[in-house]
Amino acid sequence: MGEAKMNLLNTCQTVALRYRFLYENVGGGEPQLIFEPHPLIELEVDIPKPTEQPEAELKPEDVDYNVDVEYLRSLDPKDWKSQDHYKVLGIETLRFKASEDIIKTAYRKIVLKHHPDKRKALGEEIKPDDDYFTNITMAYETLGTLARRRAFDSVDPEFDNDIPTSSELKKDFYDVFNYYFNLNSRWSERPKVPKLGNENSSRDDVEKFYSFWYDFKSWREFSYEDEEDKDKCQDRDERRYVDKLNKAERLRKKKEEMSRIRTLVDLAYNNDPRIAKFRQDDKDRKLAARRAKQTAAQQKKDEEDRILKEIKLAKEQAEAAERARIEAKRQEREVMKKALKKERKLFRDTCKANSYFTDDCDKNLYHITTIEAICERLTLEALEDLNKNIKSNGKSAFLKAIEDHEKHLQREKQEVLNAAKQTNNKDKNTAVIKIAPEWNEENLQLLVKSVNLFPAGTNQRWEVIANFINQHGVFKKDSSKFTAKLVLAKAKDLQKTDFSKNNLKEQANKNAFDNFKKDKKAVLSVAEEEISKKLEEVNINGMNNGHRENSVQANVVEPKPVREKEVKEETIVKTEKCVRFDTLPWTTSEQQLLEQALKTYSASTPERWDRIAECLPNRSKKDCMKRYKELVETVKAKKAAKAAVSAK
């Protein structure tokens, strides 16, 4: 296929196929080998980044050992800690990069030349107690021991502890800070120290670099600069004290060192153009996201407004249609009502014009009441047919209507009885046989009272009346409760009853005052002192809340004594009209509920008396206020009596 060459360029690798050959038959003869040029194909290939090669370790024979004899002669053997040990051994240029072999080689070379015996042999005068060879020995002992060398390197006098100045910050950022970070990287406990990089460094590399330096772990320590030598102490306590002082001083210097490193990192981070670019990118991205969010929110709001307008329009149209339907239905009801009223009036006028189709006074009254019942029961079509029938047939049609009405009532009564029988049949298997409820005097009074209390039009009126009688009525031990049908049947039965021939009214009038007096006495005998005490607390709370009821209580006039005759007459009159709740005596439980409600709802409670009335199911707001005033008057009368006795 030919030959291929690969040229390694700075940006890509180019692969070129120089030629190709084909083996074909030309002109029907023998096949020939044909060479054709091939088009050049260029491919861009990512070239791997060159990795940094580790520095080659110096060998002892490659190092120049330059010993400064004048410097050695100037040293004081007693002040060996202040000397430069690397300079003493002649490896000043290598310093912390010098290996153990280099240090040993340097020490051997300098010993061979500067040992006191060697110099004495050359005729030099040697002072045994003050010879600079002691400094050479201490330099080797310091650099030849790992812990001592590390302590000396930590306080190397040649190390630059400065940070970039303001004038240096104006120069090239990468050159300046590369120098300082590379210089301080020698203190890192972790071997791999990331580089600062350049303007093309990725965000991950930059973040890793600053994360490393913000969490920098330094092995640098300052034990070499201890002012006190604990080995010279006389006893253990003195050594402990000196060790404590040295540790405190090391810790202080260590904090200063970490503060210097942190200041360097902060200075680089705040002046790094890449960080500024990243912040601007983040700001632009957040701004774009915020704008997109605002745009989406505005679009969503516009869509919601549009939907709300459509819903509102549809609702208005539906309401308009509903109003039109209701109005049409109302007009239809009005027309039906007028027509029904007209037919009822026609029916009444026809019957009245014909003297109710009877000459008997008793039948006349019966026909009148039956006419009203028929008007309430029959529908418009039935009344129209009845009026036409009476107009054509007269009395016979009227009597037939009365007969049909009586049959209807009889059927309803029979249905009630059948329902009661079915109920009794269901309860036959039970252990307790319940007796039908008895219509005694108390239950009849409750019936009359509930009929007036729940007028026509009340929702589920007869069920409500039955529940009222079952709750407040008097029953035998094994008797059942009243149902809505039984109550309705009894009400219709009472409606037909001629009270002029009945002694129920007379008995009610006769027993009303006795019952009232007995119940009133039972209520008034209930712990009046306790009631007065509780009401005094309520009054005090009301005064503290600044309620207007204080002025009402202050202006209350003492009640006038009520004569027994007046009470009796009033009771009889109200009994005839069906006794109301406000004339019934307060029971002990009602009194306790009232006191509790007065404590619960203070004078500052809005609609206080409405809330109190809700706590008493059988009392109205007016009843509660009236009872409260009566009790207040009682308390005031007792206070006045006590004040009069004490004055005497």
Side-chain angles (χ1 to χ4, degrees):
M1 288 295 295
E3 63 178 357
K5 289 186 178 181
M6 296 180 62
N7 297 325
L8 183 61
L9 303 178
N10 293 331
T11 57
C12 68
Q13 289 180 346
T14 303
V15 180
L17 187 63
R18 302 289 291 275
Y19 56 86
R20 64 177 180 171
F21 57 88
L22 300 174
Y23 195 67
E24 295 182 354
N25 290 329
V26 179
E30 294 182 358
Q32 297 180 0
L33 187 63
I34 301 174
F35 296 90
E36 291 185 358
H38 195 279
L40 184 64
I41 301 175
E42 294 184 358
L43 299 176
E44 290 188 0
V45 181
D46 293 334
I47 302 174
K49 297 180 180 179
T51 58
E52 295 183 359
Q53 298 295 332
E55 296 182 2
E57 185 177 356
L58 289 175
K59 296 181 179 180
E61 56 269 19
D62 297 335
V63 178
D64 293 333
Y65 303 96
N66 298 320
V67 179
D68 189 351
V69 179
E70 296 296 330
Y71 176 72
L72 290 177
R73 295 182 184 277
S74 65
L75 296 176
D76 184 5
K78 297 179 181 179
D79 192 20
W80 61 270
K81 290 190 71 173
S82 61
Q83 70 184 13
D84 187 353
H85 299 305
Y86 289 110
K87 190 174 182 180
V88 169
L89 296 180
I91 50 176
E92 182 181 4
T93 57
L94 295 180
R95 306 198 73 80
F96 71 93
K97 296 180 181 179
S99 63
E100 294 181 3
D101 294 336
I102 293 175
I103 293 172
K104 289 180 181 179
T105 303
Y107 177 68
R108 290 194 188 102
K109 287 181 178 293
I110 199 170
V111 165
L112 291 175
K113 187 175 181 180
H114 294 277
H115 194 275
D117 295 339
K118 296 287 184 181
R119 289 186 287 122
K120 187 176 181 181
L122 295 175
E124 184 178 347
E125 184 180 357
I126 304 300
K127 297 179 180 180
D129 297 333
D130 190 16
D131 190 72
Y132 66 86
F133 190 76
T134 303
N135 300 83
I136 297 173
T137 304
M138 297 306 299
Y140 178 69
E141 289 180 359
T142 301
L143 298 181
T145 305
L146 180 61
R148 290 185 177 184
R149 182 183 180 184
R150 196 164 193 176
F152 176 74
D153 287 342
S154 297
V155 296
D156 191 348
E158 298 296 326
F159 180 75
D160 186 6
N161 287 305
D162 297 333
I163 60 175
T165 61
S166 57
S167 59
E168 289 179 326
L169 293 175
K170 297 178 181 179
K171 300 178 181 179
D172 186 13
F173 170 83
Y174 302 102
D175 291 341
V176 171
F177 283 95
N178 262 320
Y179 165 75
Y180 284 100
F181 280 112
N182 291 336
L183 189 64
N184 287 276
S185 62
R186 61 182 287 189
W187 310 122
S188 176
E189 291 183 354
R190 289 178 283 184
K192 294 183 180 180
V193 181
K195 299 296 182 181
L196 177 65
N198 52 33
E199 64 275 5
N200 297 323
S201 299
S202 64
R203 184 165 188 166
D204 291 340
D205 294 339
V206 174
E207 289 178 352
K208 288 179 180 178
F209 172 80
Y210 284 107
S211 176
F212 175 87
W213 280 98
Y214 272 118
D215 193 25
F216 184 73
K217 305 295 182 183
S218 174
W219 56 263
R220 192 177 187 184
E221 49 95 9
F222 302 91
S223 61
Y224 191 82
E225 294 180 346
D226 290 345
E227 296 181 1
E228 302 290 340
D229 188 2
K230 67 179 182 179
D231 295 334
K232 297 179 181 180
C233 297
Q234 296 179 359
D235 54 14
R236 183 176 60 182
D237 294 336
E238 188 176 356
R239 284 195 296 272
R240 286 181 178 177
Y241 177 71
V242 170
D243 190 32
K244 181 179 179 181
L245 293 179
N246 291 336
K247 286 182 178 179
E249 185 65 17
R250 293 174 201 166
L251 181 61
R252 184 187 65 80
K253 293 179 180 179
K254 184 72 173 181
K255 288 182 178 179
E256 291 180 356
E257 170 66 10
M258 296 311 297
S259 177
R260 184 186 67 83
I261 296 292
R262 182 60 180 262
T263 304
L264 174 64
V265 178
D266 288 339
L267 192 63
Y269 187 83
N270 294 330
N271 291 276
D272 196 335
R274 300 170 298 180
I275 298 297
K277 180 177 178 297
F278 296 154
R279 288 176 178 173
Q280 186 62 35
D281 293 343
D282 293 341
K283 187 177 180 180
D284 295 341
R285 185 172 62 255
K286 290 180 180 179
L287 183 61
R290 189 183 302 112
R291 288 177 178 173
K293 187 177 180 180
Q294 291 176 353
T295 303
Q298 186 63 33
Q299 293 177 354
K300 184 179 179 181
K301 184 179 179 182
D302 295 340
E303 182 66 18
E304 290 177 352
D305 292 341
R306 183 185 64 80
I307 295 174
L308 288 175
K309 288 180 180 179
E310 293 179 355
I311 293 174
K312 185 177 180 181
L313 180 60
K315 185 178 179 181
E316 290 177 353
Q317 293 176 353
E319 289 177 352
E322 183 66 17
R323 284 195 298 271
R325 186 186 66 80
I326 292 173
E327 182 63 22
K329 193 173 182 180
R330 187 188 66 79
Q331 292 178 359
E332 182 180 356
R333 285 200 305 269
E334 288 293 331
V335 173
M336 294 288 292
K337 186 176 179 181
K338 289 180 180 179
L340 184 61
K341 186 176 181 181
K342 181 179 178 182
E343 293 297 329
R344 287 176 178 175
K345 186 175 183 302
L346 178 61
F347 179 57
R348 293 190 187 100
D349 293 343
T350 303
C351 295
K352 186 176 180 181
N354 291 282
S355 300
Y356 301 102
F357 299 99
T358 184
D359 296 332
D360 191 352
C361 294
D362 294 338
K363 287 186 177 182
N364 194 336
L365 180 60
Y366 176 70
H367 286 182
I368 291 173
T369 56
T370 307
I371 287 170
E372 293 301 324
I374 291 173
C375 289
E376 293 294 332
R377 184 176 63 83
L378 294 183
T379 61
L380 177 61
E381 291 79 5
L383 277 174
E384 289 177 352
D385 296 339
L386 180 58
N387 286 331
K388 291 178 182 179
N389 198 4
I390 291 176
K391 186 176 181 180
S392 59
N393 297 327
K395 184 177 180 179
S396 60
F398 177 75
L399 294 177
K400 187 176 183 304
I402 291 178
E403 183 180 355
D404 293 340
H405 179 70
E406 291 175 350
K407 290 180 180 179
H408 177 74
L409 294 179
Q410 194 66 25
R411 283 197 303 271
E412 285 186 348
K413 187 174 182 180
Q414 188 62 34
E415 289 176 359
V416 171
L417 294 175
N418 293 335
K421 289 180 181 180
Q422 291 178 1
T423 305
N424 292 333
N425 292 333
K426 290 180 181 179
D427 297 339
K428 280 182 180 180
N429 296 328
T430 59
V432 180
I433 300 176
K434 293 186 177 181
I435 305 172
E438 179 184 0
W439 285 105
N440 51 31
E441 181 181 352
E442 288 81 359
N443 293 342
L444 287 175
Q445 289 181 1
L446 286 174
L447 175 60
V448 176
K449 176 180 178 180
S450 59
V451 168
N452 292 332
L453 188 61
F454 305 105
T458 304
N459 188 22
Q460 298 181 352
R461 180 191 183 195
W462 294 106
E463 292 183 2
V464 173
I465 292 173
N467 292 333
F468 180 82
I469 297 173
N470 292 332
Q471 184 178 0
H472 300 90
V474 178
F475 301 92
K476 292 183 178 180
K477 183 177 180 181
D478 298 330
S479 62
S480 60
K481 299 295 183 180
F482 286 107
T483 61
K485 290 185 177 181
L486 292 175
V487 173
L488 178 60
K490 187 63 179 178
K492 290 181 178 180
D493 189 24
L494 290 176
Q495 188 178 7
K496 297 178 184 179
T497 304
D498 186 2
F499 285 97
S500 61
K501 299 179 181 180
N502 198 320
N503 60 352
L504 178 62
K505 180 178 179 181
E506 182 179 354
Q507 292 178 0
N509 292 338
K510 185 183 297 183
N511 298 330
F513 182 74
D514 295 336
N515 294 334
F516 172 77
K517 186 176 180 181
K518 181 176 64 176
D519 295 338
K520 195 73 174 179
K521 184 176 180 181
V523 172
L524 293 177
S525 62
V526 176
E528 292 186 359
E529 295 181 358
E530 184 180 355
I531 295 172
S532 302
K533 183 178 180 181
K534 293 180 179 179
L535 282 174
E536 288 176 7
E537 296 176 359
V538 174
N539 293 335
I540 291 171
N541 294 332
M543 292 175 68
N544 293 334
N545 293 325
H547 199 269
R548 291 183 179 178
E549 290 177 1
N550 295 335
S551 59
V552 176
Q553 295 170 7
N555 297 327
V556 174
V557 182
E558 292 186 1
K560 297 180 181 180
V562 182
R563 297 179 183 177
E564 182 178 343
K565 183 177 180 182
E566 294 178 358
V567 174
K568 185 174 181 180
E569 291 177 356
E570 181 183 358
T571 306
I572 293 172
V573 172
K574 290 187 177 181
T575 305
E576 293 177 356
K577 296 182 179 180
C578 179
V579 180
R580 297 177 57 85
F581 265 115
D582 53 4
T583 62
L584 292 176
W586 283 70
T587 62
T588 306
S589 59
E590 289 178 337
Q591 182 68 36
Q592 292 175 353
L593 289 175
L594 176 61
E595 293 172 5
Q596 184 62 36
L598 288 170
K599 291 180 181 179
T600 303
Y601 302 104
S602 61
S604 60
T605 304
E607 299 181 358
R608 182 193 185 196
W609 291 104
D610 292 332
R611 304 284 80 78
I612 292 173
E614 291 175 358
C615 298
L616 284 83
N618 299 329
R619 297 292 176 177
S620 63
K621 173 182 176 181
K622 184 177 179 182
D623 296 341
C624 297
M625 294 177 68
K626 185 176 179 182
R627 179 61 177 171
Y628 176 77
K629 290 180 180 180
E630 289 176 358
L631 295 174
V632 169
E633 289 172 1
T634 304
V635 173
K636 291 184 66 177
K638 287 186 177 183
K639 287 184 178 180
K642 289 181 181 179
V645 171
S646 60
K648 290 180 180 180

